[in-house]
Amino acid sequence: MKKQCICIGLLSLFSASVVFGQNWTEAKLGSWTKVTNKGGKTLGYSASSGVKLITEKGFAFKDLNRNGKLDKYEDWRLPVDVRAKDLASKLTVDQIAGLMLYSKHQPIPAAAGGPFAGTYNGKIFAQSGAKVADLSDQQKEFLTKDNLRHVLITSVQSPEAAAEWNNNAQALVESLGLGIPINSSSDPRHGTRADAEFNAGAGGAISMWPGSLGLAATFNPGLVQRFGQIAATEYRALGIATALSPQVDIATDPRWNRVSGTFGEDPKLATDMARAYIDGFQTSTGANEITGGWGYHSVNAMVKHWPGGGSGEGGRDAHYGYGKYAVYPGKNFETHFQPFLNGAFKLKGKTGMASAVMPYYTISFDQDKKYGENVGNSYNKYIIHDLLRTKYRYDGVVCTDWLITANETAVDVFLTGKSWGVETLSVAQRHYKILMNGVDQFGGNNESKPVIDAYQMGVKEHGVAFMRNRFEQSAVRLLKNIFRVGLFENPYLDPQVSQQSVGTAEFMKAGYQAQLESVVMLKNKAKALPLTKGKTVYIPKRFTPAGRNFLGMQIPEKLDYPVNLAVVKKYFTVTDNPAEADYALVFIQSPNSGGGYDSDDAKAGGTGYVPVSLQYGNYTAQGSRDPSIAGGDPLEKFTNRTYNGKTAKTINTSDLGMVTETYAKMNGKPVIVSLLVSNPTVVREFEGQSNAILAHFGVQDQALLDILTGAHEPSALLPMQFPADMKTVEAQAEDVPRDMTSYKDSAGNVYDFGFGLNWKGVISDARTATYKKPGQ
């Protein structure tokens, strides 16, 4: 009897295989059904969606629009272009408007409060009884009412939860309209948790890698391409098919608070890293390839930020009204195109070019040579239509940065609208202006009504046929990026496979090795490094003052060890008494003076504009630019944004005291400084009080300890110049790379782009020969 039950079960599971002439079988996998076409594509569908299968010539296809016939867009045998055009022609204006939306940030589960809050049946998650992978009320609304299909995923509780949420969301949208799947995305999520101890990885926790500056510091495009391959595999296991990266802005102004997300300030290095990163993310090989390098391991790369965002005046950032202007005193506008034109748009791999581009918030001041507009880049016809679309023939998706169509409420708030230069237009008019430039998608917008209103404006001006064609043009671009990665065939995941595919031993090891290769040794006086394991070390505690983060959320005051002592104790004995110590290890961070705007000064009747400082001590600007090149905001009564004579006070000035006080306490015994670099740093203030300096861009404590003790030899190089002082920072042009006087230390070494030490001395190898020549 038992044997008979097994046979019946097998016949039920693979019932399709017994039908003569049929080349497919199906199997139930939790909430969805997997269909295997022998010699064809694997499909996945949810029973709850109402989708049925159509059989033609022995193969199975999904009847996504439930009309009982095989439409071109449902036929996986046809080219992507044919399928996308067929589907676009079938969509209503409302459905295309939904495709043009890119959601606000979505944590899974939704947060209880703050800017990313959500509810479940009207209650916060903790009080709702909902499961982690359930869709929030807000998600259900924008997926159904607004036809949104591009979702930005932030935090996830686990890979299994991410996979289950993906399956729930895909089942919902599969049941709607023409069955267009969700194309989920992520900002970079492979950064390190410094205090985490390295282990080989057992799956589940995503692999940890250095940040973009750290990847750049390896000067190794091959390593970056391998990162892209691994990251793409992990993204797809989480249900993520688009990366909102890489950030290829050339960091030509050292004060910009987004330098840490770039590949540094050199055009050639940034270009080579951009190409390698995107090739790694987008390329599928072997059985995972569908066609043209695209496939089931591919992740669409949205390269940013066209035409380059690294030249904000005074180093200020365009997330804020006080930083809305990019300036070009060195007449170097086109240099910033290089990572796009020669990197992202000229890949070595089969996919050819980055599938999407995000323009930056900035007004590229006085660079519109045809229409004379000073408006944000997505609003600028010259920058999008004339340059990107026409001159450089880019035909992928163009998506605005987040919140650019919303209204500005304050010049110094992060989560406010950023409609730079078009503040007097209505929200619908802003959408219309953007669409007419050739932009396809609106970042951070959950509601379709303004897009539909923009369509109606176009109908009045150009007629129905023109606007229908314009909408279908964007729809085709957007749909191609969903078709190419196989989501129309199978958007579903096996949560257990996801858990096993993320953070594998192989991936963790590769990430940790990259961390080791990303640390730059700047100084090693009298060969202070490597240190002998088992000796006694003194580590001063680090003070963090109370304040607010970029979202305005309060940060409490803190005094604590800046490293994981449990990890340190596997290398050294730790003491709180410097007299007992053989060495001191001091862990500090780059100076942080804020974004170049002082709200208190503005409230007191001043302009609010202050310098951005790269030194720890107070810095007063003398002889800086006056008047500013650019200026003006509806919320300001002036246009001169000079900060000449103003003083910047560094938030973490106590970091400098950690070094100088420890140096005094150690009475000539070695003081080793570990500097977490977010921006080029004026090291003049502490270099003389240190015996060795390691500069890193976000690695695990353990990686630093492995280098400190000689388990790994330092090999990285500076991806940017370290300035001699603030005078050279003020003198440099915001748009020109490598134009500062670099710091020369007490050993005579110059902390210039491409500088780094190993145990033998200054590194000179194939990498420095390739990249150190000015102008390359």
Side-chain angles (χ1 to χ4, degrees):
M1 185 64 185
K2 185 175 181 181
K3 183 176 180 181
Q4 183 182 5
C5 290
I6 293 172
C7 293
I8 292 172
L10 287 172
L11 284 171
S12 174
L13 187 62
F14 298 109
S15 56
S17 64
V18 300
V19 179
F20 179 75
Q22 199 157 276
N23 298 318
W24 54 272
T25 59
E26 59 181 336
K28 185 80 171 173
L29 291 176
S31 63
W32 60 282
T33 300
K34 180 179 180 180
V35 180
T36 304
N37 280 296
K38 186 177 180 181
K41 299 293 183 283
T42 297
L43 314 180
Y45 69 96
S46 171
S48 66
S49 71
V51 164
K52 306 294 183 186
L53 296 180
I54 295 175
T55 300
E56 181 174 294
K57 296 184 179 179
F59 292 114
F61 304 85
K62 291 160 68 174
D63 185 12
L64 289 167
N65 60 2
R66 293 165 289 280
N67 66 354
K69 67 177 184 178
L70 182 62
D71 293 284
K72 288 181 180 178
Y73 86 92
E74 297 165 336
D75 189 343
W76 44 258
R77 298 168 299 185
L78 295 176
V80 162
D81 284 8
V82 172
R83 299 178 70 188
K85 288 175 182 175
D86 178 63
L87 178 52
S89 72
K90 291 175 166 59
L91 295 174
T92 65
V93 168
D94 288 11
Q95 289 168 331
I96 296 177
L99 268 184
M100 290 177 167
L101 304 177
Y102 224 123
S103 83
K104 297 176 181 177
H105 298 64
Q106 301 295 313
I108 301 173
F116 311 130
T119 57
Y120 298 80
N121 293 321
K123 299 179 180 179
I124 64 171
F125 176 73
Q127 299 172 0
S128 67
K131 297 178 182 177
V132 170
D134 286 350
L135 273 63
S136 70
D137 300 333
Q138 292 74 21
Q139 290 163 355
K140 290 175 183 176
E141 181 175 9
F142 64 59
L143 292 174
T144 54
K145 176 187 168 188
D146 294 286
N147 297 298
L148 186 149
R149 292 297 179 270
H150 292 81
V151 181
L152 172 53
I153 304 295
T154 56
S155 60
V156 297
Q157 195 172 91
S158 67
E160 301 100 305
E164 289 167 4
W165 182 91
N166 170 80
N167 291 351
N168 290 336
Q170 297 290 11
L172 173 61
V173 297
E174 192 173 70
S175 73
L176 303 172
L178 286 87
I180 299 173
I182 288 169
N183 181 358
S184 292
S185 72
S186 173
D187 283 310
R189 59 192 314 121
H190 281 81
T192 58
R193 226 186 73 221
D195 63 348
E197 186 172 1
F198 172 73
N199 58 52
I206 204 161
S207 61
M208 291 188 284
W209 296 71
S212 294
L213 269 184
L215 292 173
T218 69
F219 279 57
N220 182 354
L223 181 151
V224 174
Q225 184 165 344
R226 179 60 180 148
F227 161 72
Q229 294 165 344
I230 290 173
T233 300
E234 294 183 313
Y235 273 29
R236 292 304 299 267
L238 297 173
I240 295 167
T242 293
L244 300 186
S245 59
Q247 184 190 336
V248 304
D249 308 275
I250 304 171
T252 47
D253 192 282
R255 299 164 292 189
W256 189 36
N257 69 8
R258 300 195 72 178
V259 167
S260 63
T262 74
F263 292 126
E265 69 172 308
D266 183 72
K268 178 173 173 53
L269 181 63
T271 297
D272 290 349
M273 293 301 187
R275 186 187 307 110
Y277 185 107
I278 298 166
D279 269 333
F281 264 91
Q282 290 192 169
T283 306
S284 290
T285 58
N288 291 308
E289 183 180 0
I290 298 173
T291 185
W294 291 101
Y296 304 112
H297 276 191
S298 296
V299 170
N300 293 287
M302 185 180 291
V303 61
K304 57 190 187 184
H305 303 90
W306 175 262
S311 61
E313 185 164 20
R316 296 184 293 267
D317 179 45
H319 277 95
Y320 304 88
Y322 62 68
K324 63 167 65 172
Y325 295 101
V327 294
Y328 302 87
K331 304 187 185 308
N332 222 36
F333 184 48
E334 293 188 358
T335 296
H336 292 256
F337 304 173
Q338 289 186 27
F340 297 92
L341 304 184
N342 298 322
F345 302 166
K346 287 185 180 178
L347 304 179
K348 291 182 179 179
K350 290 183 188 178
T351 63
M353 68 177 187
S355 67
V357 170
M358 182 189 295
Y360 200 40
Y361 297 113
T362 45
I363 295 170
S364 297
F365 191 71
D366 280 354
Q367 298 310 303
D368 180 348
K369 304 304 183 186
K370 187 171 181 180
Y371 311 102
E373 282 197 299
N374 277 313
V375 293
N377 289 314
S378 288
Y379 292 103
N380 193 295
K381 183 177 180 180
Y382 175 72
I383 286 172
I384 302 300
H385 175 270
D386 291 41
L387 290 181
L388 182 61
R389 290 297 195 196
T390 305
K391 182 175 181 178
Y392 300 120
R393 300 181 181 178
Y394 181 76
D395 194 38
V397 167
V398 178
C399 177
T400 75
D401 214 328
W402 264 231
L403 294 179
I404 77 161
T405 57
N407 293 321
E408 180 186 20
T409 58
V411 296
D412 59 345
V413 173
F414 184 83
L415 287 176
T416 189
K418 308 171 201 306
S419 49
W420 308 147
V422 295
E423 293 90 346
T424 59
L425 298 182
S426 70
V427 172
Q429 287 171 330
R430 292 169 194 163
H431 282 77
Y432 182 53
K433 184 173 178 62
I434 289 169
L435 283 170
M436 290 301 99
N437 290 341
V439 176
D440 306 296
Q441 203 165 25
F442 302 93
N445 292 14
N446 289 5
E447 298 177 2
S448 60
K449 185 179 183 304
V451 186
I452 297 168
D453 289 345
Y455 173 83
Q456 296 299 340
M457 289 178 182
V459 169
K460 287 181 181 179
E461 185 172 353
H462 299 288
V464 171
F466 177 92
M467 282 308 291
R468 176 71 204 189
N469 181 67
R470 173 66 193 89
F471 261 47
E472 285 192 28
Q473 182 185 45
S474 284
V476 169
R477 291 172 180 149
L478 291 159
L479 290 168
K480 282 166 66 175
N481 287 357
I482 307 177
F483 277 113
R484 289 192 291 208
V485 296
L487 291 174
F488 271 91
E489 277 58 72
N490 183 20
Y492 296 97
L493 300 168
D494 182 334
Q496 295 306 311
V497 173
S498 291
Q499 193 276 337
Q500 295 163 12
S501 302
V502 174
T504 65
E506 176 191 356
F507 295 170
M508 285 289 193
K509 184 177 180 181
Y512 188 73
Q513 181 64 29
Q515 291 180 51
L516 292 171
E517 294 178 25
S518 73
V519 178
V520 182
M521 185 163 68
L522 295 177
K523 182 178 181 179
N524 193 19
K525 181 181 178 181
K527 298 194 181 298
L529 299 179
L531 305 177
T532 303
K533 289 183 73 172
K535 294 284 190 175
T536 301
V537 299
Y538 166 68
I539 301 173
K541 291 182 178 179
R542 184 172 186 269
F543 175 70
T544 303
R548 293 181 181 275
N549 66 11
F550 68 97
L551 293 175
M553 300 170 70
Q554 288 190 331
I555 301 172
E557 178 181 302
K558 185 174 69 172
L559 178 65
D560 205 355
Y561 288 105
V563 286
N564 185 337
L565 286 189
V567 173
V568 176
K569 287 176 181 178
K570 295 186 177 183
Y571 294 78
F572 302 108
T573 298
V574 179
T575 180
D576 286 330
N577 183 359
E580 298 175 353
D582 298 300
Y583 323 114
L585 305 181
V586 186
F587 296 86
I588 63 174
Q589 299 180 11
S590 290
N592 177 8
S593 70
Y597 189 85
D598 184 345
S599 300
D600 291 335
D601 176 72
K603 290 174 184 175
T607 65
Y609 290 90
V610 294
V612 178
S613 177
L614 301 180
Q615 67 181 37
Y616 294 98
N618 290 353
Y619 167 65
T620 300
Q622 299 294 335
S624 56
R625 186 182 294 142
D626 187 7
S628 60
I629 292 175
D633 186 278
L635 300 178
E636 295 176 338
K637 297 179 181 179
F638 54 88
T639 58
N640 185 1
R641 292 180 160 189
T642 184
Y643 49 81
N644 192 33
K646 296 282 194 72
T647 298
K649 297 182 178 182
T650 307
I651 296 167
N652 61 327
T653 186
S654 57
D655 281 15
L656 176 60
M658 289 172 66
V659 180
T660 56
E661 291 167 16
T662 300
Y663 181 78
K665 290 175 182 178
M666 289 298 289
N667 287 318
K669 292 181 287 187
V671 175
I672 315 301
V673 176
S674 170
L675 173 65
L676 171 56
V677 178
S678 55
N679 290 83
T681 298
V682 177
V683 298
R684 176 185 298 275
E685 296 168 296
F686 68 84
E687 181 266 319
Q689 286 77 48
S690 65
N691 297 82
I693 303 174
L694 294 182
H696 71 98
F697 309 93
V699 299
Q700 290 169 260
D701 297 337
Q702 191 170 348
L704 293 172
L705 291 163
D706 276 346
I707 289 176
L708 288 170
T709 56
H712 182 86
E713 184 173 15
S715 61
L717 307 167
L718 284 178
M720 56 197 181
Q721 297 178 311
F722 270 29
D725 48 37
M726 282 303 298
K727 183 178 180 180
T728 190
V729 173
E730 292 286 5
Q732 59 89 40
E734 285 93 337
D735 60 320
V736 178
R738 298 170 60 177
D739 62 340
M740 292 190 294
T741 301
S742 299
Y743 179 69
K744 179 183 284 190
D745 72 8
S746 51
N749 291 320
V750 179
Y751 295 1
D752 202 349
F753 171 83
F755 169 75
L757 301 172
N758 57 22
W759 302 140
K760 295 177 182 177
V762 177
I763 297 171
S764 179
D765 57 17
R767 299 173 301 162
T768 58
T770 298
Y771 292 106
K772 280 191 71 173
K773 295 176 184 176
Q776 283 194 324

